[in-house]
Amino acid sequence: MKLTFYGAAREVTGSNFILDAAGKRIMIDCGLFQGSSATKAKNFDGFKYDVQSVDYVLLTHAHIDHSGRIPLLYKKGYRGTVICTKATKDLCDIMLVDSANIQESDTQYKNNKRFRAGLLPLEPLYTIEDANLALKHFIAVQYYDLIKLDDNITVKFSDAGHMLGSASITIFVTEEGKTTTVSFTSDLGKPDTPIINNPEVLQECDYLVMESTYGNKKHILKEHPEERMFEIIEDTISNGGTVIIPSFSVGRTQEMIYAFNENIALKKKFSIFNKIPVYVDSPLSTLATEVFKKNTQYFDDEAKQYILKGDNPLDFPNLIFTKSVEESKRLNFDNSPKIIISSSGMCDAGRIRHHLKHNLYKEKTTVLFIGYQANGSLGRLLVDGAKSVKLLGETIEVNARIEMIDGFSGHADMDDLDKYISQIKVKPEKIFLVHGEEDQLYPFAERINNTFGIETVIPENYYTYELKKGEKVYELDHDRVLTENTYKKLTLLDLVTDVKRQVKDVSELIAYDEINNLDDSQITVLIDLYAAMRQNIKDLILGVESNTKVER
Ligand SMILES: [Zn+2]
């Protein structure tokens, strides 16, 4: 039995694993790479395996870093099924079409520019048609059902408590009369996340592929993050400001609505909240909220109680879902205090960018982050204290108050992850740690070793491991060419990013007074250096473009 990692290895996005077992190829998740432009470029690298050789796709949950390349699989010829829970299927119905829409419109925007420059048009990663084709092949299953893929392979989904319909997946494989169990935790939720149930701990497995987003980090504000949120809102609103909450459209936004709705005591204490409008400004969030309302069987007991009492847990009087683009734009020019919940959660796309552009420079604004901000994202820059940011072609000064409440995280923290392992009755032989950045992976691996005596592996992308019960996991010869190619591309992209940053630094030096300290000859040297650099860059662009120039 072989397990290969094609994404989310030593990184947090692009989840994609393949288990070759009992003569079948089973894929677990096929997500988009998200974050910096170097990471996003990996989506266009193509699959490093023959997609038609895959027999089944098992999907843990609808988040786009787990599901977002499924339409690309169908574009490339995969015609098998995608097996997931009903809520995941319902959410993918809207999320994959939305993702395709973004791919199409981004490409259209780039192509308009390329057309004017006489360059060949680009193809979108995939289209709405590809997404719709993929969605026809989704099959919904129930948690805890034993799904027999064939005589030797059985699959079980259990509740991962991370978002509506999210699952950990266990695969039972019988080879030569022996059954081996491989489990994938996927993203594990934080216990007591509103609306949904707590993560279900796996009972037993031989091999575990485990997420490590917060493998070495504790959520600071674990208890009652709502109180802190209401405090920040009260502060900002009473100063006449606006609170902007960047939020993932699916999951987090609904949890926020629920948190605003259910905390009656806090709403009494911070009563200003009831007097201001709370806008949810994201078409996808509006659609997703409808999917939540149709899937109340996935709610936890508390949320179910609300419904039984006749209350809608996802609605309250001052909540407004914006509908049209015009309505969204109007919010940018309305200076009255309000709360805007908009997406994307890491501020890399979507309407949130317009709200930030119109509010970040204002001192009265508060931007309140409530979720994970990946390296390289605009959200991470803001959380890390950037003084100015580039947004929609403009440089915007950051004068707003930036706050982060990590207690709403959709992910278990290090204590929760340790507790999870401690509760597995029959411990795995090996744990593969994925879905984490390196500063989280290594300390987590060491802790697992010391606390539980379980051997861990921190795989790299394109590495394959042979799994034989009772034997040491060994690494098969990985595809060095692939690793090297990707590495070179990333190095180039890093260099480009670096040059961009350096040029920006120099232009700031020139704009401010530092230049006055230089004498004429020093300035002449700088002019010569930059003229030479400009020529080099021109040559570089010509070199890249010569392959893509249109004959006219
Ligand atoms: Zn997720």
Side-chain angles (χ1 to χ4, degrees), residues 233-514:
I233 290 170
E234 174 105 356
D235 259 18
T236 310
I237 300 296
S238 49
N239 264 329
T242 286
V243 180
I244 295 178
I245 307 180
S247 169
F248 301 100
S249 315
V250 182
R252 200 63 40 78
T253 294
Q254 289 72 31
E255 285 159 32
M256 296 317 287
I257 297 172
Y258 183 86
F260 284 139
N261 185 37
E262 69 151 359
N263 283 292
I264 295 159
L266 287 175
K267 283 201 278 189
K268 264 193 190 141
K269 188 172 166 194
F270 302 102
S271 60
I272 207 163
F273 176 87
N274 299 307
K275 299 180 193 114
I276 48 146
V278 179
Y279 293 98
V280 172
D281 186 35
S282 147
L284 186 59
S285 300
T286 308
L287 288 172
T289 307
E290 290 309 310
V291 174
F292 269 64
K293 288 177 185 166
K294 272 189 238 150
N295 281 281
T296 51
Q297 72 273 29
Y298 291 92
F299 285 16
D300 62 9
D301 288 342
E302 190 191 73
K304 279 180 184 155
Q305 280 302 320
Y306 261 94
I307 301 168
L308 285 177
K309 278 192 281 178
D311 188 5
N312 179 351
L314 294 174
D315 201 10
F316 52 88
N318 45 334
L319 177 68
I320 302 159
F321 289 91
T322 58
K323 290 188 184 74
S324 61
V325 178
E326 287 65 40
E327 229 178 307
S328 168
K329 280 186 184 161
R330 258 200 305 270
L331 294 179
N332 292 327
F333 302 102
D334 162 14
N335 282 322
S336 56
K338 59 194 162 304
I339 297 173
I340 302 173
I341 306 174
S342 186
S343 64
S344 69
M346 295 197 266
C347 311
D348 280 331
R351 291 184 181 174
I352 187 71
R353 290 173 80 82
H354 293 272
H355 297 306
L356 290 175
K357 176 179 159 183
H358 288 92
N359 288 286
L360 267 178
Y361 69 90
K362 297 177 186 164
E363 276 171 27
K364 285 182 178 176
T365 304
T366 298
V367 182
L368 174 56
F369 288 95
I370 49 166
Y372 185 78
Q373 304 299 315
N375 250 339
S377 61
L378 175 63
R380 179 72 157 255
L381 284 178
L382 289 170
V383 170
D384 285 348
K387 294 275 175 287
S388 71
V389 290
K390 205 82 185 147
L391 252 174
L392 305 166
E394 278 182 41
T395 302
I396 311 287
E397 263 197 60
V398 183
N399 297 318
R401 169 179 172 191
I402 309 289
E403 287 280 354
M404 169 91 184
I405 300 183
D406 59 5
F408 289 109
S409 170
H411 288 270
D413 75 355
M414 62 186 280
D415 293 341
D416 303 324
L417 292 175
D418 286 357
K419 194 169 166 202
Y420 183 94
I421 301 174
S422 76
Q423 288 177 339
I424 303 175
K425 282 210 184 85
V426 182
K427 302 271 189 286
E429 275 184 32
K430 295 281 179 315
I431 300 183
F432 292 89
L433 294 181
V434 296
H435 204 289
E437 285 167 10
E438 298 200 352
D439 60 333
Q440 304 298 308
L441 291 164
Y442 286 98
F444 187 27
E446 204 180 312
R447 228 173 46 247
I448 294 174
N449 253 302
N450 294 341
T451 318
F452 304 103
I454 302 174
E455 222 180 293
T456 53
V457 180
I458 300 176
E460 274 188 64
N461 286 329
Y462 313 125
Y463 276 54
T464 299
Y465 296 83
E466 175 89 42
L467 311 181
K468 258 192 192 156
K469 238 168 45 167
E471 285 182 28
K472 205 172 157 51
V473 168
Y474 64 93
E475 178 197 315
L476 296 172
D477 208 19
H478 66 274
D479 205 329
R480 278 179 212 288
V481 180
L482 283 181
T483 320
E484 274 163 25
N485 267 346
T486 310
Y487 180 74
K488 276 197 180 146
K489 211 167 157 182
L490 289 179
T491 309
L492 176 63
L493 283 162
D494 273 348
L495 281 171
V496 173
T497 313
D498 232 35
V499 171
K500 263 203 241 169
R501 201 171 17 235
Q502 285 162 358
V503 170
K504 187 172 166 262
D505 287 350
V506 170
S507 48
E508 268 167 22
L509 284 179
I510 296 171
Y512 295 101
D513 279 335
E514 280 79 350

Side-chain angles (χ1 to χ4, degrees), residues 61 63 65-66 162-163 187 411 435:
H61 65 291
H63 278 151
D65 61 320
H66 292 257
H162 166 69
M163 78 177 303
D187 296 2
H411 288 270
H435 204 289

